Amino acid sequence: MSAPRPPRALSPRQVKWVLNLFPPWLLQGIRIVSISPDFRRATVRVRRGLLTRNLNGSTFGGTVFAAFDPVCAILYWQILAHRGLRVQAWLRGASIRYVKPARTALTISFEIGEADVEDAVSALRSGGRFARAHRVVATDVAGEVCAEADTEVYLRLPREGQKEVSAF
């Protein structure tokens, strides 16, 4: 039996590049603007364009929801990979509340606190799994909240003999 491979630790630039080519995002004008070197912060921009407008002329809610989807899970995955911990990470659930129509580009800022990371490491080492909810908001160019989402990230250690699963 071979030794387990180290976790797949990527650079912020690599993660940004891959996510910006992610097909569900590519056609919807969703882009990663920045990822901090420690993976604890990321900024996503949702452009308003012909392919993302709904019948009312505002940004389609599905586009806004898609922009919230993978970011927190990927940030946790990379934070822990850089600490030498191999995990499986995904968005277990999310709920969104549309506050007002998005008639301009939107900015979404994600942040994972050091306490969140320490809680994750502790829970993974003691029980093999971790879940945490994060409230994230999408603001327009005037700084007004257009949507807010509660995203629940789920992490677990790979099961014995399970192959690594990753989109990249």
Side-chain angles (χ1 to χ4, degrees):
M1 182 173 213
S2 64
R5 290 181 306 173
R8 187 173 297 159
L10 304 171
S11 72
R13 184 176 182 208
Q14 289 171 312
V15 171
K16 181 179 171 183
W17 185 82
V18 170
L19 282 177
N20 285 338
L21 292 177
F22 183 46
W25 278 17
L26 193 59
L27 295 174
Q28 295 188 69
I30 302 169
R31 308 271 303 159
I32 293 280
V33 175
S34 66
I35 298 176
S36 66
D38 62 0
F39 289 96
R40 293 205 17 237
R41 285 172 300 291
T43 304
V44 172
R45 183 126 169 118
V46 180
R47 289 186 314 218
R48 191 167 163 264
L50 184 62
L51 296 176
T52 62
R53 283 191 204 137
N54 63 20
L55 295 173
N56 297 315
S58 60
T59 303
F60 175 60
T63 297
V64 178
F65 194 87
F68 285 111
D69 184 354
V71 180
C72 274
I74 290 171
L75 293 177
Y76 272 106
W77 170 50
Q78 284 302 300
I79 289 168
L80 296 172
H82 283 270
R83 292 183 181 203
L85 194 57
R86 178 187 295 276
V87 298
Q88 295 174 337
W90 62 87
L91 183 72
R92 179 159 67 179
S95 64
I96 191 166
R97 187 172 82 84
Y98 300 100
V99 178
K100 67 175 256 188
R103 300 205 182 276
T104 67
L106 297 173
T107 301
I108 305 170
S109 297
F110 297 84
E111 186 166 346
I112 296 173
E114 187 58 34
D116 296 320
V117 176
E118 294 307 320
D119 289 349
V121 170
S122 176
L124 288 163
R125 290 202 169 129
S126 67
R129 57 189 70 208
F130 171 78
R132 175 68 43 100
H134 291 273
R135 164 76 47 101
V136 189
V137 298
T139 57
D140 63 13
V141 295
E144 295 184 45
V145 174
C146 291
E148 50 190 24
D150 292 312
T151 63
E152 184 181 14
V153 173
Y154 180 75
L155 310 172
R156 75 172 183 207
L157 298 174
R159 294 186 177 128
E160 185 76 28
Q162 188 175 33
K163 292 183 180 181
E164 182 176 15
V165 245
S166 172
F168 48 93

